[in-house]
Amino acid sequence: MMKKCIDVIANEESYINLSTFKDIEGMNKTIRTNKDIIRATVKRSDVQVRLIALLELLKRHSCKQLGVSYMSKNTIADKLELSYKTVQRLMKKLEDLGMIRQVSMKRKKDMLQTANAIIIQPVQDDVSDKTPPKESEKCPTKTKPVSLKQNNKRLNKRNRSVELSSANFIAHWVPKAFADFTSNFYSKAETIQEFWKVVKQCNRVIDYENDKRAFTGDQELQIGVKAFKEFVMKLKAGTRMIKGEFAYFNGIVNKLMDKLYFDHDFVSQ
């Protein structure tokens, strides 16, 4: 049997082109939907747990190029503490469910095959970069970036004058301390809630049977506030956030959690 020719070279440009989401909220929504589908359609509880763990792992490693990760199956097996064959079966199951697809890649230096790109597929009502919405006939075909920036500034100014900034109007599951602090910089409840969702999703599960996470609720709150302070400093410094504010904040939280997970004084408090 003739080997299939691999045309895609493993580099940053290729991964960007394969990206399936415009923002981290869209990817998070897809993952939540997929988890519900797995719980409803997969009968064996142990397989449910492993599929969900795999989805979570792929999501955490798909924030640089949204929706695209490129870990080898051996790396995935090590991280999930499963066998290579089990990971293969789980990946095949996610593909059969239409939740991911894999693209064969080759290295530029020797043109030999390397780890596949694993692409999270958006749910049907998610909009990807590849399928922009059709423009209205009344809309201009081209818009100058400067005009968009000016419009955004005017809209933000107007919105801030009418939005409720009190933490009392933010969802009950967002800690008050986090809501109070972030409301000094963002007045829209949905935005503050999304920032907290980023913190929650980064606090990974380390014991799936007992749903135990790496950090307690109090530690999670401390990390969230500390990460947001760093985020605000970056904003004030004019840091470019190419993938968006939530994706950038996600990176800050992940790095902070990775660091503090091995800080004995912090985790033992």
Side-chain angles (χ1 to χ4, degrees):
M1 185 177 177
M2 185 177 287
K3 258 190 169 183
K4 186 178 178 182
C5 179
I6 301 173
D7 297 320
V8 186
I9 295 174
N11 58 31
E12 187 172 1
E13 184 181 359
S14 296
Y15 297 130
I16 290 172
N17 289 335
L18 292 170
S19 180
T20 45
F21 297 94
K22 284 199 280 190
D23 48 46
I24 199 166
E25 303 100 298
M27 183 169 69
N28 289 343
K29 180 182 176 183
T30 287
I31 295 298
R32 290 194 295 269
T33 300
N34 287 343
K35 285 180 182 179
D36 291 339
I37 292 171
I38 288 170
R39 293 186 185 104
T41 59
V42 178
K43 293 182 179 179
R44 284 180 51 178
S45 59
D46 59 329
V47 178
Q48 281 186 25
V49 168
R50 288 174 175 177
L51 287 171
I52 290 172
L54 176 55
L55 270 180
E56 282 289 339
L57 181 65
L58 295 176
K59 180 188 73 174
R60 290 202 305 273
H61 287 79
S62 300
C63 290
K64 187 175 181 182
Q65 284 87 32
L66 288 176
V68 183
S69 58
Y70 33 90
M71 289 181 291
S72 69
K73 290 184 178 65
N74 281 323
T75 300
I76 294 172
D78 289 341
K79 287 182 178 292
L80 294 179
E81 298 181 351
L82 299 171
S83 70
Y84 181 87
K85 289 288 186 184
T86 299
V87 170
Q88 276 189 316
R89 289 195 293 270
L90 293 174
M91 296 284 284
K92 176 68 166 56
K93 181 64 176 177
L94 290 182
E95 282 189 298
D96 291 343
L97 290 169
M99 296 177 182
I100 65 168
R101 71 183 179 95
Q102 298 186 69
V103 174
S104 299
M105 311 290 283
K106 62 183 177 183
R107 293 187 294 263
K108 185 177 181 179
K109 62 180 180 181
D110 54 16
M111 293 299 169
L112 294 178
Q113 186 169 5
T114 186
N116 292 344
I118 305 166
I119 306 165
I120 300 171
Q121 299 299 288
V123 291
Q124 286 185 358
D125 59 345
D126 275 342
V127 180
S128 75
D129 285 326
K130 314 307 177 190
T131 54
K134 291 183 179 179
E135 293 180 342
S136 166
E137 291 180 1
K138 296 181 180 179
C139 293
T141 55
K142 292 184 180 180
T143 308
K144 292 181 180 179
V146 175
S147 299
L148 284 175
K149 288 180 180 178
Q150 290 172 343
N151 287 338
N152 285 337
K153 285 181 181 178
R154 286 197 293 268
L155 284 170
N156 289 337
K157 188 175 181 180
R158 190 174 65 208
N159 288 340
R160 285 181 183 277
S161 66
V162 297
E163 287 168 358
L164 296 171
S165 60
S166 171
N168 293 328
F169 295 95
I170 296 169
H172 66 89
W173 42 264
V174 180
K176 188 175 185 301
F178 185 83
D180 288 346
F181 181 68
T182 51
S183 63
N184 291 318
F185 306 93
Y186 289 90
S187 56
K188 195 173 182 181
E190 288 85 351
T191 303
I192 294 171
Q193 288 161 192
E194 197 61 39
F195 276 116
W196 182 248
K197 285 179 186 177
V198 171
V199 178
K200 294 293 292 183
Q201 76 177 22
C202 289
N203 188 9
R204 57 188 177 275
V205 178
I206 56 176
D207 181 351
Y208 287 95
E209 288 187 6
N210 300 308
D211 199 28
K212 182 182 178 183
R213 296 183 177 271
F215 300 98
T216 65
D218 288 341
Q219 292 167 342
E220 192 176 68
L221 174 58
Q222 291 180 55
I223 291 170
V225 172
K226 187 173 182 179
F228 196 81
K229 287 180 180 178
E230 183 179 340
F231 172 77
V232 170
M233 288 173 63
K234 296 292 185 182
L235 270 182
K236 290 182 176 180
T239 303
R240 289 184 64 200
M241 301 180 182
I242 298 171
K243 292 290 184 179
E245 293 180 352
F246 298 119
Y248 193 89
F249 181 64
N250 184 89
I252 293 175
V253 176
N254 260 327
K255 286 179 183 177
L256 191 55
M257 285 188 173
D258 287 345
K259 178 183 176 182
L260 292 176
Y261 186 73
F262 297 102
D263 186 330
H264 177 72
D265 293 334
F266 184 80
V267 296
S268 61
Q269 64 182 8

